[in-house]
Amino acid sequence: MFSTGVAAPSVDFQLRALVGKGFRFVDPRDEHGEVVAVVGVRAHDNVLDVVELHGEDDAVATRMPPDQDLLAPRRYHWREQGPASAVMAKLLSLPDNYVPGMLHVPTRASA
């Protein structure tokens, strides 16, 4: 396994950093009371940033217009999927004012 010799920030540290940036978290549950995800949302500069944590190796972060469904946006400006630590690192490094000129509208193949 390749190592850079630099420790990656812990998920706990990254979650605290997201809270420091204004994210608010909820933990939606299924009919049995089991947590299905941890979801963080932050509204700013006429966009919404959403991070869904389903497990250490399964996370999604999205920057979208404010008129979209938080968990199933039909259009978005930016999206990243992968391990939680990598997704949160990219979200934390995303400039607040980063909104590309075009919206991404997923097709069936990319949704």
Side-chain angles (χ1 to χ4, degrees), residues 6-84:
V6 177
S10 71
V11 170
D12 183 58
F13 176 84
Q14 290 171 316
L15 285 169
R16 291 178 193 278
L18 290 171
V19 168
K21 288 187 81 165
F23 277 81
R24 299 292 177 248
F25 286 86
V26 295
D27 55 350
R29 297 169 184 263
D30 66 15
E31 64 274 4
H32 306 290
E34 298 293 321
V35 175
V36 295
V38 174
V39 180
V41 179
R42 178 176 79 131
H44 67 98
D45 300 314
N46 203 31
V47 296
L48 294 175
D49 288 340
V50 178
V51 61
E52 302 170 55
L53 305 168
H54 299 279
E56 280 187 55
D57 296 320
D58 184 11
V60 179
T62 310
R63 177 164 289 172
M64 66 187 79
D67 63 348
Q68 296 301 295
D69 179 322
L70 293 178
L71 300 179
R74 293 177 55 178
R75 300 177 298 130
Y76 53 84
H77 299 293
W78 173 88
R79 184 173 211 141
E80 186 68 34
Q81 290 183 268

